[in-house]
Structure formats: structure tokens, C-alpha cells
Amino acid sequence: MTVLYIILSLPAFWHREAWLLALQTYAVIGAGAIGGYYGACLQRAGHEVHFLLHSDFEHVRDHGLSVKSKNGDFALPEVNAYCLAAGMPRCEGVFGALKSPANELLPEILPHLAGPSTVVLLLQNGLGAEPFIAAIDGVREVMSGLCFVCSRKTGPGRVRHEDYGMVKFVEYHADNLARPVSDRLLRIASDYTSAGIETQTAEDYLLARWQKLVWNVPFNGLTVTLGATTRRIVEDPSGRALARTLMEEVRAGAAACGKEIAPELVDQMIRNTEVMVPYEPSMKLDYDNGRPMEIESIYGNPLRAAENAGARLPAIRCLYEQLRFLERRRTKDH
Amino acid sequence: MTVLYIILSLPAFWHREAWLLALQTYAVIGAGAIGGYYGACLQRAGHEVHFLLHSDFEHVRDHGLSVKSKNGDFALPEVNAYCLAAGMPRCEGVFGALKSPANELLPEILPHLAGPSTVVLLLQNGLGAEPFIAAIDGVREVMSGLCFVCSRKTGPGRVRHEDYGMVKFVEYHADNLARPVSDRLLRIASDYTSAGIETQTAEDYLLARWQKLVWNVPFNGLTVTLGATTRRIVEDPSGRALARTLMEEVRAGAAACGKEIAPELVDQMIRNTEVMVPYEPSMKLDYDNGRPMEIESIYGNPLRAAENAGARLPAIRCLYEQLRFLERRRTKDH
């Protein structure tokens, strides 16, 4: 956060810094809480960014993007907006910032955007998307950006960035083994840094994904089933006990899949959540607004991976089935 | 059900039958869905029944009780209504038909009602109340009546009986061992039968309580956390899977406490719930109407008993903590 603070206090400096580097062109698929926020930051820092939009296309084409951020508000009145992937240029980086239930659109989209030297970088929670993306025609290199950010889309082309913001970059390897961080990954991470975004890099994609689940598994689902913010959950003894149990089961699932998560991460995630803004994660917003929840990527896929490896995660399964029930019931009610 | 049908088709006959027996006097503590329904049936059959009421006292004193039942509606314009236990006669049977969070009132009430030959019979779900009641001054004999009934209080002195109705009678013994059914228990059960209520008797109090939990643990809590009727839950694959998991954990908890429940009971409970009216159990009604839920008797006490005996019941614990959170949050919201 200190680094972030220094960068943010010197906007003139880091804009200049960014221009000193060879700039990369980026495509962003989806301009919601994640794609809209990070894409806008990159464009503000001078990068050429192309946004593929669906429902918000006309609004963003005509009015651009606007970001309300705890680090300072800004607007981009003009952005490169597209409603069809076929009309977009091939870019050095393609950021998949859809919700996971929409990943099924990627086999239609990515072949238009991915050239021989394109990195497809998935800005998404949960488990299981990278192998699917890596198998799409024309996709050569897949990376993941795990976003530790509280942000939400508040309207067409409008994003509110509420807290945090760090992105952890890591390369996908089909054998699930760790590899030293590549120059390509460092270059993308450096572009994010130069855009005022705190970044980290990691060597083990599967470990990083499971670590991220330590927070996402308890708080995405419990805010839905308990109808409460993260703050209310960690401040309540039962809510905190539930969160801890679910976090420990994520650790057990990771261990079954060969990835060790330090026990201290559980305490750290509880503490972070205590001091964080009272937050409604994306799954809660999706549920409240009648959009599909990311149930399979955050719950179903990790559960199946762990159970196939011989682990039982009964509290996670309990929450998973509750969420599936709520999703199905809502669909029937509408 | 055949027996019940024959009885109900011959009202003149069973009213006469009832008078042939030496009638017992009964006190009913609480005249809601359970006490109101069974107490009214007993009074209609000719028994002397005394009702101890709280919020509904004046209404019931002035207007009596009315029952809408799938077996035929009836009204009792005059009942013996009391607002203080001190004014009531000592009876042969005292039926504790409070919600379990109100059991703390019983040490004030029971010494007024229990004479040397009084049976205190608890019409209540969950685990853990009998040892508490048996320790109250003046209480000699404690029995339990497990009510397999769908009924609800619809207003002061008004009960709607929706489905089922069987009561299983069993004596409490502090050593938790089975004993042959006593004549006293048979006599009370016979009074219920003569009042048109299907009855069973059992020899093992703790086994009967755990068996009853096989239904109560899944459906009381899930109807609250999922905001749905029992029908919706069993008709949904995730709801049914959750119910089954919770039922199997009840079996595991019972086994840890030395009580074996046949695996077939799980299938039978699922099937019963499929054909039952779409039902909102008492816990759902309590939650929706801002009344305390029976969380400790249905979840906390069985969990602690099982965990003390070395069993882990993670799905039940998950549901328990969710319910405690919801109860606490609601209290804060009001």
C-alpha cells in the first residue's frame, strides 16, 4: 500500500514513466467491476485499450467510462468500444473479465483477438477456466490475474472502486507445476504498476487460485445465504466460525490437490475482512440483481477437484448446494 | 391412517367410548399449534382440560378455541383458560407445549401444577429438555410426546391442522435406556386415541428423539435459510441432497450416542415430505414472525451430544451457525 501511495502522489511522474516503456495494446472483454476498472486505469496511463461490450456498448461508445475510486475519481469520455469481437484489432494482451458463467462465449470471441504473440489473461475468480481457455483455437499463452479488489459496477460504463486493488499475476501451465515468472508476465504486471495498480507475481498458478479461494469461498456464498455484508459476518461469532471452517476446508482441498496453504492465511483473511469496508462481493450483487452466480467456478470445480483427490469438504458442499438451490429457485420465480 | 379413518367415521361411537373410560384431567401449557390442537381434541372428546395462556389469555377466555382441520373443523366456545399457573388445579397430566426457548418458564409453572401422581409430558421437538424438567421441584414423572403433525397457529385461539397428526409417546429415563411401556403411558396414549388422534408408543426415549430429528434437522433449518417450503426443498436436486446429508449426519450423531437409526428412515422421511402438503415448519414461521427459533433444542443440543461422543456433524454445524447468525442479525435489525 506504501508503493501505491507513492505512485498515486506522483501522477505526473508515473504517466511519464509509462511513456518511456514500449506500450502494449490491450483488449478487455467485459467492462464491469473488474474489466472496467483495470481497463480504465490502463487507458488513463496511456495504453491503447479496446473494450468489447455487450449490454453497455452504446452507452460506453457515446459516453466513455467513469471510475469513482478511493484513490481519486476519473472519467474517460472516449474509449474504443466494440460490440463484436470480429471488428477488434489483435492485441498483445487480451483480458478476459467476464463472469465465469459467460466463459462459454470465449470460444466465439478469442479467435478474433488472439494472434501468435497474444497473451490471454483471465481476470476472474474460481477454478477451472484456464484449461478450457487454453484449448480454444488460436490461444497460445494463458495467464491469470487474481484481483484483490472491492469494486462494483454501478451503471453502464460506471465503476465504483471501494477498497484494495492488487492484482496477482501468474502463468497457467497445464501440468499445474510452478515455473519461474516469465518476462512477458513481468511486462504486463509492469504496465499495471505504471497504471497505479499494486501488483504481485506468483510462480504457481494452482496454488495462487486455491489461496484466492480462501477468501472467496466463505464470503461470496455466505453474503448470499445470510443476506449480509462481509463486515457483519466477521463481526458475528457464528459468521466468523463459519468463515473459518470454510477457509480450513479450502486449505484441505488445496492440500489434497498437492498445494499447501499456510495456516496463517486464514487469520490474515479474517483480519483483512474485519478492517475492509462492509462489502458485498460480486456473488451477492449478482444474486440480488438476478444475474447468474459464479457457483461452479468458486464452489463446484474446487469441490470436484478436492473430492476427486479424496478430500471431503462438507461445509463447502453444504454452502454449494444451498447456492444451487437459491439460483434454481430464483430462476423459477422469474 | 386406516385406524384414524375408522375412528373419524364414527364420532358418536368414540365419544361414547371415551366416557366409558375413567377420564383424566389435563393441563396444557401453551395453546399454539401443538397445545391448542391436541388440547382442543382432548376437550372435544370429553376430557377436562385447563389451558395456561400468555398473550392469548383474554381472547381464549372470551371466545374459546377454534380448530380448522383436514379431519373436520370444530370450535370450543368455552375453555378453562388461565393466565397464572397458581390458579390452576393439579391435573393427572401436564402437557408442556411451549416452544423450547420458553422452557425456562417451567420451573415457575410446574410446581403449581404437578402433584404426587402427575405426569409431565413434553410436546416439543429437539433434545435436552427432559433432564431439565425432571430436575424441577415437585416433578416426579416425565414423558415425551413426539408430534408428527403439520399444524400452525393462525391467530389467538385459532389453529390450522394441515396434515398428519400422530403422537409417539415415550417415557423419559435418566439413564437413557429403553424400558417396557408403562400402564400410565398407555392410559394417556389411549386418551389421545379416543380423541381421534393417531398414536404410537416407544420404549427408548433417546432413540425416539433422535429419530424425530431425522426430519426436524433438515427441514426446520433449510426452510429458513433457503426461504422455501418443504415441498420445494425435496423437489429440488440440491435441496434433496442437502436434506439427505443432514439426515445421514443425524444418524451418525445418534449412533455416536448409542442409538441406531435404520438407514431406511432417511428414504422414508424424504418420501413422506414429497407427498406432504408444501409445509413451513414452526422454525420458519417463528423466523418470519420475529419469534425466537428453537435453535438450541433442534441443533445445538444434538450437536454437542454428538461431538462430546466423538462424532463430527459438519453440515449440521454449518446450518446451526447460519441459523444463529440469522437469529442474532434479526435481533439487531429490530
Side-chain angles (χ1 to χ4, degrees):
Chain A
M1 294 305 270
T2 317
V3 175
L4 185 60
Y5 176 73
I6 293 169
I7 288 169
L8 290 170
S9 352
L10 298 166
F13 170 76
W14 53 265
H15 275 126
R16 220 169 29 240
E17 273 281 291
W19 285 106
L20 293 176
L21 298 165
L23 286 177
Q24 305 193 89
T25 57
Y26 291 115
V28 179
I29 307 171
I34 298 296
Y37 175 61
Y38 291 113
C41 288
L42 287 163
Q43 176 171 334
R44 181 178 58 157
H47 290 278
E48 182 183 317
V49 183
H50 301 268
F51 293 90
L52 179 62
L53 300 129
H54 181 56
S55 55
D56 300 342
F57 165 66
E58 290 186 0
H59 185 97
V60 172
R61 179 194 61 193
D62 298 340
H63 306 284
L65 293 168
S66 103
V67 175
K68 289 208 174 291
S69 169
K70 59 172 279 196
N71 302 328
D73 303 344
F74 66 95
L76 304 171
E78 290 190 19
V79 304
N80 302 311
Y82 304 81
C83 62
L84 286 172
M88 295 175 75
R90 294 192 192 275
C91 295
E92 280 142 315
V94 175
F95 302 142
L98 298 163
K99 290 291 173 64
S100 59
N103 282 353
E104 60 189 40
L105 303 172
L106 292 175
E108 283 296 311
I109 294 170
L110 287 178
H112 295 286
L113 305 181
S117 64
T118 300
V119 171
V120 176
L121 190 137
L122 187 67
L123 298 168
Q124 202 174 75
N125 284 316
L127 214 64
E130 286 88 348
F132 170 76
I133 292 170
I136 294 171
D137 257 6
V139 173
R140 309 271 170 105
E141 207 168 343
V142 178
M143 296 182 183
S144 302
L146 304 177
C147 306
F148 296 76
V149 64
C150 299
S151 64
R152 63 159 83 195
K153 181 175 150 181
T154 52
R158 282 200 301 278
V159 174
R160 187 186 307 143
H161 167 227
E162 298 176 277
D163 214 347
Y164 296 94
M166 190 269 278
V167 184
K168 183 187 276 186
F169 293 95
V170 61
E171 279 158 304
Y172 167 68
H173 299 290
D175 59 9
N176 296 333
L177 297 178
R179 297 279 199 301
V181 170
S182 72
D183 288 344
R184 295 220 51 192
L185 186 142
L186 285 175
R187 194 158 162 226
I188 293 175
S190 149
D191 283 349
Y192 273 69
T193 311
S194 75
I197 299 155
E198 194 186 5
T199 62
Q200 286 183 9
T201 58
E203 301 189 344
D204 187 328
Y205 130 84
L206 194 57
L207 174 63
R209 287 242 162 248
W210 276 103
Q211 286 169 329
K212 186 74 159 72
L213 288 168
V214 170
W215 193 91
N216 281 318
V217 162
F219 292 109
N220 275 276
L222 290 179
T223 54
V224 172
T225 62
L226 301 177
T229 63
T230 53
R231 175 76 61 87
R232 275 222 157 155
I233 290 168
V234 285
E235 284 183 348
D236 178 273
S238 292
R240 201 165 53 242
L242 270 170
R244 262 185 196 287
T245 300
L246 292 160
M247 288 177 174
E248 289 298 343
E249 288 194 3
V250 173
R251 285 188 62 232
C257 297
K259 302 298 173 186
E260 292 299 327
I261 296 176
E264 293 75 29
L265 188 64
V266 170
D267 286 327
Q268 188 191 320
M269 287 291 116
I270 295 281
R271 278 197 309 274
N272 284 359
T273 311
E274 281 168 349
V275 298
M276 198 169 97
V277 290
Y279 186 56
E280 300 193 312
S282 60
M283 185 171 281
K284 171 85 162 72
L285 301 177
D286 290 339
Y287 180 69
D288 290 346
N289 292 290
R291 297 186 298 256
M293 295 187 277
E294 295 184 295
I295 298 177
E296 294 309 320
S297 59
I298 297 182
Y299 295 92
N301 294 341
L303 259 180
R304 283 181 284 272
E307 289 175 353
N308 287 340
R312 282 189 66 239
L313 312 179
I316 296 179
R317 178 155 282 282
C318 186
L319 188 53
Y320 170 62
E321 299 293 2
Q322 289 186 41
L323 292 167
R324 293 217 296 174
F325 179 92
L326 292 173
E327 175 103 340
R328 253 185 241 117
R329 190 194 57 171
R330 193 183 51 177
T331 313
K332 277 188 200 147
D333 284 350
H334 282 81
Chain B
M1 293 310 266
T2 317
V3 176
L4 185 60
Y5 177 74
I6 293 168
I7 289 170
L8 289 170
S9 355
L10 299 166
F13 171 75
W14 51 267
H15 274 128
R16 221 169 29 238
E17 274 281 289
W19 284 106
L20 293 177
L21 298 166
L23 286 178
Q24 305 194 90
T25 57
Y26 290 115
V28 179
I29 306 171
I34 298 297
Y37 175 61
Y38 290 113
C41 287
L42 287 163
Q43 177 172 332
R44 181 178 58 156
H47 290 278
E48 183 183 315
V49 184
H50 302 268
F51 292 90
L52 178 62
L53 300 130
H54 181 55
S55 56
D56 300 343
F57 165 66
E58 290 186 359
H59 186 97
V60 172
R61 179 193 62 194
D62 298 341
H63 306 285
L65 293 169
S66 103
V67 175
K68 288 207 175 292
S69 169
K70 59 172 279 197
N71 301 329
D73 303 345
F74 66 96
L76 304 171
E78 289 189 22
V79 303
N80 302 311
Y82 304 80
C83 62
L84 286 172
M88 296 175 74
R90 295 194 192 273
C91 295
E92 281 143 316
V94 175
F95 302 141
L98 298 163
K99 290 291 172 65
S100 59
N103 283 352
E104 59 189 41
L105 302 172
L106 292 175
E108 283 297 311
I109 294 170
L110 288 178
H112 295 286
L113 305 181
S117 64
T118 300
V119 171
V120 176
L121 190 138
L122 187 67
L123 298 168
Q124 202 175 75
N125 284 315
L127 215 62
E130 285 87 349
F132 170 74
I133 291 171
I136 293 172
D137 257 6
V139 173
R140 308 269 171 106
E141 207 168 343
V142 178
M143 297 183 182
S144 303
L146 304 177
C147 306
F148 296 76
V149 63
C150 300
S151 65
R152 61 160 84 196
K153 181 176 150 181
T154 52
R158 282 201 300 278
V159 174
R160 187 186 308 143
H161 167 227
E162 299 177 277
D163 214 347
Y164 296 94
M166 190 269 278
V167 183
K168 183 188 278 188
F169 293 95
V170 60
E171 278 159 306
Y172 166 67
H173 300 288
D175 60 8
N176 296 333
L177 297 179
R179 297 278 198 302
V181 170
S182 72
D183 288 345
R184 295 221 49 191
L185 187 142
L186 286 174
R187 193 154 164 231
I188 293 176
S190 148
D191 283 349
Y192 274 68
T193 311
S194 75
I197 300 155
E198 195 185 5
T199 61
Q200 286 183 11
T201 58
E203 302 189 344
D204 187 328
Y205 130 84
L206 194 58
L207 174 63
R209 287 241 162 248
W210 276 104
Q211 285 170 328
K212 186 76 159 74
L213 288 168
V214 170
W215 194 90
N216 281 317
V217 162
F219 292 109
N220 275 276
L222 290 178
T223 53
V224 172
T225 62
L226 301 177
T229 64
T230 53
R231 175 75 61 88
R232 275 223 158 154
I233 290 168
V234 285
E235 284 183 347
D236 177 273
S238 292
R240 202 165 51 242
L242 269 170
R244 262 185 195 287
T245 300
L246 291 160
M247 288 176 173
E248 289 298 343
E249 288 194 4
V250 173
R251 287 188 62 231
C257 296
K259 303 297 173 187
E260 292 299 327
I261 296 176
E264 294 75 30
L265 188 64
V266 170
D267 286 327
Q268 188 191 321
M269 288 291 118
I270 295 281
R271 277 198 308 274
N272 284 359
T273 311
E274 280 169 349
V275 298
M276 198 168 97
V277 290
Y279 186 56
E280 300 192 313
S282 60
M283 185 171 281
K284 170 85 162 72
L285 301 177
D286 289 339
Y287 180 69
D288 290 347
N289 292 290
R291 297 187 297 256
M293 295 187 277
E294 296 184 294
I295 299 177
E296 294 309 321
S297 59
I298 297 182
Y299 295 92
N301 294 340
L303 259 180
R304 282 182 284 271
E307 289 175 354
N308 287 341
R312 281 189 67 241
L313 312 178
I316 296 180
R317 179 155 282 282
C318 186
L319 188 52
Y320 170 62
E321 299 291 2
Q322 288 186 17
L323 293 167
R324 292 216 296 173
F325 178 93
L326 292 173
E327 175 104 338
R328 252 185 241 116
R329 190 195 58 170
R330 193 184 49 176
T331 313
K332 277 188 200 148
D333 284 350
H334 282 79

